[in-house]
Amino acid sequence: QFTWLGHVSNDQLLSSLWQNCGAYFHGHSVGGTNPALVQAMASGAPTIARDTVFNREVLEDSGLFVAPDAAAIVKTIRFLMSSPALQNTLSVRARERARDQFSWDAICGAYEKVLSDAIHDRTSATAIPMRTIAAAQPKVIPAPAMAVE
């Protein structure tokens, strides 16, 4: 049985729906890392997503992908709803991926690595002797003074 709820703005209700659903359909087709998709993953929702590069990058092997075709969407939802083992597998994978890739610890760790690498690269670049840098600087010749009448 399917129940269309329309827009759900109550965060507690939405979280409960994700935690207890048999299938979550994520129909977004544009953008990057969609917060709703990551929240659904963290809640363990067995996810079917519209087949886009963004959704594939976020979900990887923790969800199913479907073309934007009503018949294909219905078929994929029915398939997932009839497979409790697949629901469980996708739920576990989604939680793990959300924790490993999208938690604050994971994101801060990734930023720290990028910044550390940039500092290291910059430090390596400043190892050039200063006289070499000074010799490479162009000589500046002042412009002649101009009188304004």
Side-chain angles (χ1 to χ4, degrees):
Q1 178 180 352
F2 299 92
T3 304
W4 178 255
L5 300 176
H7 178 74
V8 177
S9 60
N10 180 309
D11 289 340
Q12 285 183 316
L13 175 59
L14 187 56
S15 180
S16 180
L17 289 168
W18 280 326
Q19 290 171 10
N20 296 291
C21 69
Y24 164 64
F25 176 67
H26 185 77
H28 294 258
S29 62
V30 296
T33 304
N34 186 285
L37 180 55
V38 174
Q39 287 176 298
M41 291 168 63
S43 297
T47 300
I48 300 165
R50 189 164 171 184
D51 194 359
T52 67
V53 66
F54 309 109
N55 291 338
R56 282 191 176 273
E57 183 178 329
V58 172
L59 282 166
E60 286 192 349
D61 69 346
S62 68
L64 302 177
F65 302 94
V66 66
D69 171 75
I73 294 167
V74 169
K75 182 179 178 180
T76 306
I77 291 172
R78 285 187 174 143
F79 169 72
L80 183 55
M81 292 297 291
S82 68
S83 179
L86 182 57
Q87 290 171 340
N88 186 58
T89 297
L90 294 177
S91 178
V92 169
R93 286 181 185 169
R95 279 192 179 103
E96 289 173 354
R97 180 144 175 80
R99 180 195 65 228
D100 295 345
Q101 298 296 316
F102 301 106
S103 68
W104 279 115
D105 287 342
I107 291 169
C108 289
Y111 272 113
E112 184 177 14
K113 181 178 179 345
V114 167
L115 293 172
S116 178
D117 290 350
I119 290 168
H120 174 73
D121 291 347
R122 184 177 175 149
T123 304
S124 298
T126 59
I128 301 169
M130 287 307 290
R131 66 178 163 253
T132 305
I133 294 172
Q137 296 295 321
K139 295 193 188 271
V140 177
I141 302 170
M146 300 191 65
V148 177
E149 295 181 19

Coordinates of all heavy atoms in Angstrom, one line a residue, residues 19-79:
Q19 N 12.9 6.3 8.9 CA 13.3 5.2 9.7 C 12.5 4.0 9.6 O 12.9 2.8 9.8 CB 13.4 5.6 11.2 CG 14.5 6.6 11.5 CD 14.4 7.1 12.9 OE1 13.6 6.7 13.7 NE2 15.2 8.2 13.2
N20 N 11.2 4.2 9.2 CA 10.3 3.0 9.2 C 9.7 2.7 7.8 O 8.8 1.8 7.7 CB 9.1 3.4 10.1 CG 9.6 3.5 11.5 OD1 10.0 2.5 12.1 ND2 9.6 4.7 12.1
C21 N 10.2 3.3 6.7 CA 9.6 3.1 5.4 C 10.2 1.8 4.8 O 11.3 1.4 5.1 CB 9.9 4.3 4.5 SG 11.6 4.5 4.0
G22 N 9.4 1.3 3.9 CA 9.9 0.1 3.1 C 10.7 0.6 1.9 O 11.6 -0.2 1.4
A23 N 10.4 1.8 1.4 CA 11.1 2.4 0.3 C 11.0 3.9 0.3 O 9.9 4.4 0.6 CB 10.6 1.8 -1.0
Y24 N 12.0 4.6 0.1 CA 12.0 6.0 -0.1 C 12.4 6.4 -1.5 O 13.4 5.9 -2.0 CB 13.0 6.7 0.9 CG 13.3 8.2 0.6 CD1 12.3 9.1 0.6 CD2 14.6 8.5 0.3 CE1 12.6 10.5 0.3 CE2 14.9 9.9 0.0 CZ 13.9 10.8 0.0 OH 14.2 12.1 -0.3
F25 N 11.5 7.1 -2.2 CA 11.9 7.5 -3.5 C 12.4 9.0 -3.5 O 11.7 9.9 -3.1 CB 10.6 7.5 -4.5 CG 10.9 8.0 -5.8 CD1 11.8 7.3 -6.7 CD2 10.4 9.2 -6.3 CE1 12.1 7.8 -7.9 CE2 10.6 9.7 -7.5 CZ 11.5 9.0 -8.4
H26 N 13.6 9.1 -4.0 CA 14.3 10.5 -4.1 C 14.2 10.9 -5.5 O 15.0 10.4 -6.3 CB 15.7 10.4 -3.5 CG 16.4 11.7 -3.4 ND1 16.1 12.6 -2.4 CD2 17.3 12.3 -4.2 CE1 16.9 13.7 -2.6 NE2 17.6 13.5 -3.7
G27 N 13.3 11.8 -5.8 CA 13.1 12.2 -7.2 C 13.9 13.4 -7.7 O 13.7 13.9 -8.8
H28 N 14.8 14.0 -6.9 CA 15.5 15.2 -7.3 C 16.4 14.9 -8.4 O 17.1 13.8 -8.5 CB 16.3 15.7 -6.1 CG 15.5 16.2 -5.0 ND1 15.3 17.6 -4.7 CD2 14.8 15.6 -4.0 CE1 14.5 17.7 -3.7 NE2 14.2 16.5 -3.2
S29 N 16.5 15.8 -9.4 CA 17.3 15.6 -10.6 C 18.4 16.6 -10.8 O 19.2 16.5 -11.7 CB 16.4 15.6 -11.8 OG 15.8 16.9 -11.9
V30 N 18.5 17.6 -9.9 CA 19.6 18.6 -10.1 C 20.3 18.8 -8.7 O 19.7 18.5 -7.7 CB 19.0 20.0 -10.6 CG1 18.5 19.8 -12.0 CG2 18.0 20.5 -9.6
G31 N 21.4 19.4 -8.8 CA 22.1 19.8 -7.6 C 23.2 18.8 -7.3 O 23.5 17.9 -8.0
G32 N 23.8 19.0 -6.1 CA 25.0 18.2 -5.7 C 24.5 17.2 -4.6 O 23.6 16.5 -4.8
T33 N 25.1 17.4 -3.5 CA 24.8 16.5 -2.3 C 23.5 17.0 -1.7 O 23.6 18.0 -1.0 CB 26.0 16.5 -1.3 OG1 27.2 16.1 -2.0 CG2 25.7 15.5 -0.2
N34 N 22.4 16.3 -1.9 CA 21.1 16.8 -1.4 C 21.0 16.4 0.1 O 21.1 15.3 0.4 CB 20.0 16.1 -2.2 CG 18.7 16.7 -1.9 OD1 18.1 16.3 -0.8 ND2 18.1 17.5 -2.7
P35 N 20.8 17.4 0.9 CA 20.6 17.2 2.4 C 19.5 16.1 2.7 O 19.7 15.3 3.6 CB 20.3 18.5 3.0 CG 20.9 19.5 2.0 CD 20.7 18.9 0.6
A36 N 18.4 16.2 2.0 CA 17.3 15.3 2.3 C 17.8 13.8 2.0 O 17.4 12.9 2.7 CB 16.1 15.6 1.5
L37 N 18.5 13.6 0.9 CA 19.0 12.3 0.6 C 20.0 11.8 1.7 O 19.9 10.7 2.1 CB 19.7 12.3 -0.8 CG 20.3 11.0 -1.3 CD1 19.2 9.9 -1.3 CD2 20.9 11.1 -2.7
V38 N 20.9 12.7 2.1 CA 21.8 12.3 3.2 C 21.1 11.9 4.5 O 21.4 11.0 5.2 CB 22.9 13.3 3.4 CG1 23.8 13.0 4.6 CG2 23.7 13.5 2.1
Q39 N 20.0 12.7 4.8 CA 19.3 12.5 6.0 C 18.5 11.2 5.9 O 18.5 10.4 6.9 CB 18.3 13.6 6.3 CG 18.9 14.9 6.7 CD 17.9 16.0 6.9 OE1 17.3 16.4 5.9 NE2 17.7 16.5 8.1
A40 N 18.0 10.9 4.7 CA 17.3 9.6 4.5 C 18.3 8.4 4.7 O 17.9 7.4 5.3 CB 16.6 9.6 3.2
M41 N 19.5 8.6 4.2 CA 20.5 7.6 4.3 C 20.8 7.4 5.7 O 20.9 6.2 6.2 CB 21.7 8.0 3.5 CG 21.6 8.0 2.0 SD 22.9 8.8 1.1 CE 24.3 7.7 1.5
A42 N 21.1 8.4 6.5 CA 21.4 8.3 7.9 C 20.3 7.7 8.7 O 20.6 7.0 9.7 CB 21.8 9.7 8.4
S43 N 19.1 7.8 8.3 CA 18.0 7.2 8.9 C 17.8 5.7 8.5 O 16.9 5.0 9.1 CB 16.7 8.0 8.6 OG 16.8 9.3 9.1
G44 N 18.5 5.3 7.5 CA 18.4 3.9 7.1 C 17.3 3.6 6.1 O 16.9 2.5 6.0
A45 N 16.8 4.7 5.4 CA 15.8 4.5 4.5 C 16.3 3.7 3.3 O 17.3 4.1 2.6 CB 15.2 5.8 4.0
P46 N 15.6 2.6 2.9 CA 16.0 1.9 1.6 C 15.6 2.8 0.5 O 14.4 3.1 0.3 CB 15.1 0.6 1.7 CG 14.6 0.5 3.1 CD 14.6 1.9 3.6
T47 N 16.6 3.2 -0.3 CA 16.3 4.4 -1.2 C 16.3 3.9 -2.7 O 17.2 3.2 -3.1 CB 17.4 5.5 -1.0 OG1 17.2 5.9 0.4 CG2 17.2 6.6 -1.9
I48 N 15.4 4.5 -3.4 CA 15.3 4.4 -4.8 C 15.5 5.9 -5.3 O 14.7 6.8 -4.8 CB 14.0 3.9 -5.3 CG1 13.8 2.5 -4.8 CG2 13.9 4.0 -6.9 CD1 12.3 2.0 -5.0
A49 N 16.5 6.2 -6.1 CA 16.7 7.6 -6.5 C 16.6 7.7 -8.0 O 17.0 6.7 -8.8 CB 18.1 8.0 -6.0
R50 N 16.2 8.8 -8.4 CA 16.3 9.2 -9.9 C 17.7 9.0 -10.3 O 18.6 9.4 -9.6 CB 15.8 10.6 -10.1 CG 15.6 10.9 -11.5 CD 14.7 12.1 -11.7 NE 14.7 12.5 -13.1 CZ 14.2 13.6 -13.5 NH1 13.5 14.4 -12.7 NH2 14.2 13.9 -14.8
D51 N 17.9 8.4 -11.5 CA 19.3 8.1 -11.9 C 19.9 9.4 -12.5 O 19.8 9.8 -13.6 CB 19.2 7.1 -13.0 CG 20.6 6.4 -13.3 OD1 21.5 6.9 -12.7 OD2 20.6 5.5 -14.2
T52 N 20.7 10.1 -11.6 CA 21.5 11.2 -12.0 C 22.9 11.0 -11.5 O 23.1 10.2 -10.5 CB 20.9 12.5 -11.4 OG1 21.1 12.5 -9.9 CG2 19.5 12.7 -11.7
V53 N 23.8 11.8 -12.0 CA 25.2 11.7 -11.6 C 25.3 12.1 -10.1 O 26.1 11.5 -9.4 CB 26.1 12.5 -12.5 CG1 25.8 14.0 -12.4 CG2 27.6 12.3 -12.2
F54 N 24.6 13.0 -9.7 CA 24.6 13.5 -8.3 C 24.1 12.4 -7.3 O 24.8 12.1 -6.3 CB 23.8 14.8 -8.1 CG 24.1 15.8 -9.1 CD1 23.2 16.2 -10.0 CD2 25.3 16.5 -9.0 CE1 23.5 17.2 -11.0 CE2 25.6 17.5 -9.9 CZ 24.7 17.9 -10.9
N55 N 23.0 11.8 -7.6 CA 22.4 10.8 -6.8 C 23.4 9.5 -6.7 O 23.5 8.9 -5.7 CB 21.0 10.4 -7.2 CG 20.0 11.5 -6.9 OD1 20.3 12.4 -6.1 ND2 18.9 11.5 -7.7
R56 N 23.9 9.2 -7.9 CA 24.9 8.1 -7.9 C 26.1 8.3 -7.1 O 26.6 7.5 -6.4 CB 25.3 7.7 -9.4 CG 24.2 7.0 -10.1 CD 24.7 6.4 -11.4 NE 23.7 5.6 -12.0 CZ 23.5 4.3 -11.8 NH1 24.3 3.7 -11.0 NH2 22.6 3.6 -12.4
E57 N 26.6 9.6 -7.1 CA 27.8 9.9 -6.3 C 27.5 9.8 -4.8 O 28.3 9.4 -4.1 CB 28.2 11.3 -6.7 CG 29.5 11.8 -6.0 CD 30.0 13.1 -6.4 OE1 29.8 13.5 -7.5 OE2 30.6 13.8 -5.5
V58 N 26.3 10.3 -4.4 CA 26.0 10.3 -3.0 C 25.7 8.8 -2.5 O 26.2 8.4 -1.5 CB 24.8 11.2 -2.7 CG1 24.3 11.0 -1.3 CG2 25.2 12.6 -3.0
L59 N 24.9 8.1 -3.3 CA 24.4 6.8 -2.8 C 25.4 5.7 -3.1 O 25.5 4.7 -2.3 CB 23.1 6.4 -3.5 CG 21.8 7.1 -2.9 CD1 20.7 6.9 -3.9 CD2 21.5 6.5 -1.6
E60 N 26.1 5.8 -4.2 CA 26.9 4.7 -4.7 C 26.1 3.3 -4.6 O 25.1 3.2 -5.3 CB 28.3 4.6 -3.9 CG 29.2 5.7 -4.3 CD 30.6 5.5 -3.8 OE1 30.9 4.6 -3.0 OE2 31.5 6.3 -4.3
D61 N 26.6 2.4 -3.9 CA 25.9 1.1 -3.9 C 24.9 0.9 -2.7 O 24.4 -0.2 -2.4 CB 26.9 -0.1 -3.8 CG 27.6 -0.2 -2.5 OD1 27.5 0.8 -1.7 OD2 28.3 -1.2 -2.2
S62 N 24.5 2.0 -2.2 CA 23.5 2.0 -1.0 C 22.1 2.3 -1.5 O 21.2 2.6 -0.6 CB 24.0 2.9 0.1 OG 23.9 4.2 -0.3
G63 N 21.8 2.3 -2.8 CA 20.5 2.6 -3.2 C 20.3 2.0 -4.6 O 21.2 1.5 -5.2
L64 N 19.0 2.1 -5.1 CA 18.7 1.7 -6.4 C 18.4 2.9 -7.3 O 18.0 4.0 -6.7 CB 17.4 0.8 -6.4 CG 17.5 -0.5 -5.6 CD1 16.1 -1.2 -5.6 CD2 18.6 -1.4 -6.0
F65 N 18.6 2.8 -8.6 CA 18.5 4.0 -9.4 C 17.4 3.7 -10.5 O 17.4 2.6 -11.0 CB 19.8 4.4 -10.0 CG 20.8 4.7 -9.0 CD1 21.7 3.7 -8.6 CD2 20.9 5.9 -8.4 CE1 22.6 4.0 -7.6 CE2 21.8 6.2 -7.4 CZ 22.7 5.2 -7.0
V66 N 16.7 4.7 -10.9 CA 15.6 4.5 -11.9 C 15.5 5.7 -12.8 O 15.8 6.9 -12.4 CB 14.3 4.2 -11.1 CG1 13.8 5.4 -10.3 CG2 13.2 3.8 -12.0
A67 N 15.1 5.5 -14.0 CA 14.9 6.5 -15.0 C 13.6 7.3 -14.6 O 12.8 6.8 -13.9 CB 14.7 5.9 -16.4
P68 N 13.5 8.6 -15.1 CA 12.4 9.4 -14.7 C 11.1 9.0 -15.6 O 10.6 9.8 -16.4 CB 12.8 10.8 -15.0 CG 13.9 10.6 -16.1 CD 14.5 9.3 -15.8
D69 N 10.7 7.8 -15.4 CA 9.6 7.2 -16.1 C 8.6 6.6 -15.1 O 9.1 5.8 -14.3 CB 10.1 6.1 -17.1 CG 9.0 5.4 -17.7 OD1 8.3 5.9 -18.6 OD2 8.8 4.2 -17.3
A70 N 7.4 7.0 -15.1 CA 6.4 6.5 -14.1 C 6.3 5.0 -14.0 O 6.4 4.5 -12.9 CB 5.0 7.1 -14.4
A71 N 6.3 4.3 -15.1 CA 6.2 2.8 -15.1 C 7.5 2.2 -14.4 O 7.4 1.3 -13.7 CB 6.0 2.3 -16.5
A72 N 8.6 2.8 -14.8 CA 9.9 2.3 -14.2 C 10.0 2.5 -12.7 O 10.4 1.7 -11.9 CB 11.1 2.9 -14.9
I73 N 9.5 3.7 -12.3 CA 9.5 4.0 -10.9 C 8.6 3.1 -10.1 O 9.0 2.5 -9.1 CB 9.1 5.5 -10.6 CG1 10.1 6.4 -11.2 CG2 8.8 5.8 -9.2 CD1 9.7 7.9 -11.4
V74 N 7.4 2.9 -10.6 CA 6.4 1.9 -9.9 C 7.0 0.5 -9.9 O 7.0 -0.1 -8.8 CB 5.1 1.9 -10.7 CG1 4.2 0.8 -10.2 CG2 4.4 3.3 -10.5
K75 N 7.6 0.1 -11.0 CA 8.2 -1.3 -11.0 C 9.3 -1.4 -10.0 O 9.4 -2.4 -9.3 CB 8.7 -1.6 -12.4 CG 9.3 -2.9 -12.6 CD 9.8 -3.1 -14.0 CE 10.4 -4.5 -14.2 NZ 10.9 -4.7 -15.6
T76 N 10.2 -0.4 -9.9 CA 11.3 -0.5 -8.9 C 10.8 -0.4 -7.5 O 11.3 -1.1 -6.6 CB 12.3 0.7 -9.2 OG1 12.7 0.6 -10.6 CG2 13.5 0.5 -8.4
I77 N 9.8 0.4 -7.2 CA 9.2 0.5 -5.9 C 8.6 -0.8 -5.5 O 8.9 -1.4 -4.4 CB 8.2 1.6 -5.7 CG1 8.9 3.0 -5.8 CG2 7.4 1.5 -4.4 CD1 7.9 4.2 -5.9
R78 N 7.9 -1.4 -6.4 CA 7.2 -2.7 -6.1 C 8.3 -3.8 -5.9 O 8.2 -4.7 -5.0 CB 6.3 -3.2 -7.2 CG 5.0 -2.4 -7.2 CD 4.0 -2.9 -8.2 NE 2.7 -2.2 -8.0 CZ 1.9 -1.9 -9.0 NH1 2.2 -2.2 -10.3 NH2 0.8 -1.2 -8.8
F79 N 9.4 -3.8 -6.7 CA 10.5 -4.7 -6.5 C 11.1 -4.6 -5.1 O 11.3 -5.6 -4.4 CB 11.5 -4.5 -7.6 CG 12.8 -5.2 -7.4 CD1 12.8 -6.6 -7.6 CD2 13.9 -4.6 -7.0 CE1 14.0 -7.3 -7.4 CE2 15.1 -5.3 -6.8 CZ 15.2 -6.6 -7.0

